[in-house]
Amino acid sequence: SEAPESDGSIRQDSALAANEETVKVIQESRTDSTAKDTEALATPEMSSVEAPEKSATDETAPAATEETTAVKDTLATTAVVTPSKPKKQPIKDVKVEVVPPVAFNVVLTHATADFDSLASAVGLAKLWTAQEGHDASTTNSDKNFKSASHVPTFVVLPRGAHPGVQRFLALHKHLFPIRSLKSLPNDLSGLNRLALVDAQRRDRLGPADSLLEHANRIVVVDHHVDQDSDIPATDYVVDKVGSVSTLISEYLRSESIELTEVEAT
């Protein structure tokens, strides 16, 4: 009766041993798998740790390259901006042709010009330049005075003007043939006719009295009949009227010369 119990014990022990062996195999398998995973995870860290460090030379190389490039760009810019020295050209003899002076006329207002002096000067300049067909060499003094000269005529204010005239000229001066005394040609041998309006004394000419000795013909137009003239004029036109501009406007009307709106003003 005890034999069966022994056999049962042996079977149980064998079963337990087999189970333990199975468990051990499973545990070893799990251990191997865990070790492999751990090794796989640790590999990137090891690679990052074991990666060679960059040397100081490698880090400064890009900076040195950039600095070299900047220096080259600066040199190139300097080369473009810096002008090159002009080459010396051999001096050659150039023949200069002297241009003969061009003839012109001048009508003078008196010093500190008023509107009567300005208007009569502009009107006389219009009379001399607008007419055609008159012979300036005729002996008739009236024809000499109002005949066309066929050369440019300029109006000159020798020494300033009244404030009202200055304001007017500030707006309209460009519409008249007005020039300054200094702007006349240095060579005055081309001065053909010289006229003085609304005055007949040298002291009313200011600095323009130097023109008298250069003019071929001198004309005085005035309405002050009680004054004596000290100007050696070729033609005197003096009449007892209210203004010199009245005399000039009558000559312009007789010659059918049309005026612009500004000239008429």
Side-chain angles (χ1 to χ4, degrees), residues 6 9 28 65 74 92 113 123 131 156 166 183 195 216 253 258:
S6 300
S9 302
E28 291 177 353
T65 303
T74 303
K92 298 180 180 180
Q131 295 184 84
V156 175
Q166 292 177 1
S183 68
N216 293 330
R253 187 180 297 109
E258 296 182 0

Side-chain angles (χ1 to χ4, degrees), residues 1-259:
S1 59
E2 293 178 359
E5 291 179 359
S6 300
D7 293 337
S9 302
I10 293 170
R11 291 191 186 95
Q12 290 177 355
D13 293 339
S14 298
L16 290 173
N19 290 335
E20 291 177 357
E21 185 68 21
T22 301
V23 172
K24 184 177 180 180
V25 171
I26 293 172
Q27 289 177 348
E28 291 177 353
S29 175
R30 291 178 176 176
T31 301
D32 293 340
S33 177
T34 302
K36 291 180 179 180
D37 293 340
T38 302
E39 183 179 1
L41 293 174
T43 299
E45 295 180 1
M46 292 300 292
S47 62
S48 63
V49 172
E50 293 176 359
E53 296 181 357
K54 294 183 179 180
S55 63
T57 304
D58 295 337
E59 292 179 354
T60 56
T65 303
E66 293 177 358
E67 184 177 356
T68 304
T69 303
V71 171
K72 290 181 178 179
D73 293 340
T74 303
L75 291 176
T77 305
T78 304
V80 172
V81 173
T82 304
S84 59
K85 294 182 179 180
K87 296 181 180 180
K88 294 183 178 180
Q89 300 292 337
I91 299 175
K92 298 180 180 180
D93 294 333
V94 180
K95 185 178 180 181
V96 179
E97 296 182 359
V98 179
V99 180
V102 178
F104 60 97
N105 301 325
V106 172
V107 180
L108 297 171
T109 68
H110 56 65
T112 316
D114 54 18
F115 274 111
D116 184 29
S117 184
L118 175 64
S120 55
V122 171
L124 182 54
K126 183 88 171 184
L127 186 68
W128 281 357
T129 57
Q131 295 184 84
E132 294 182 359
H134 293 286
D135 185 5
S137 63
T138 179
T139 57
N140 186 295
S141 61
D142 187 57
K143 290 293 184 180
N144 278 333
F145 157 64
K146 68 177 184 178
S147 60
S149 178
H150 307 293
V151 297
T153 300
F154 306 112
V155 175
V156 175
L157 284 66
R159 184 179 288 160
H162 282 287
V165 176
Q166 292 177 1
R167 288 191 292 270
F168 176 79
L169 292 179
L171 299 174
H172 307 295
K173 182 179 179 180
H174 64 286
L175 300 175
F176 305 117
I178 297 176
R179 294 184 65 173
S180 66
L181 186 61
K182 293 181 179 180
S183 68
L184 296 178
N186 293 328
D187 186 358
L188 295 175
S189 61
L191 180 55
N192 184 30
R193 292 183 186 179
L194 177 66
L196 171 63
V197 295
D198 200 23
Q200 47 185 306
R201 303 285 301 179
R202 295 179 73 103
D203 58 2
R204 301 299 304 278
L205 296 177
D209 77 330
S210 60
L211 299 178
L212 293 173
E213 58 186 276
H214 299 283
N216 293 330
R217 301 193 67 84
I218 300 175
V219 179
V220 171
V221 185
D222 195 14
H223 66 118
H224 302 101
V225 296
D226 55 345
Q227 291 187 0
D228 295 329
S229 177
D230 60 353
I231 296 176
T234 308
D235 301 295
Y236 284 98
V237 182
V238 180
D239 196 357
K240 191 175 180 179
V241 291
S243 63
V244 180
S245 55
T246 300
L247 290 174
I248 301 300
S249 61
E250 289 176 354
Y251 283 113
L252 289 170
R253 187 180 297 109
S254 66
E255 298 296 333
S256 301
I257 298 175
E258 296 182 0
L259 302 177

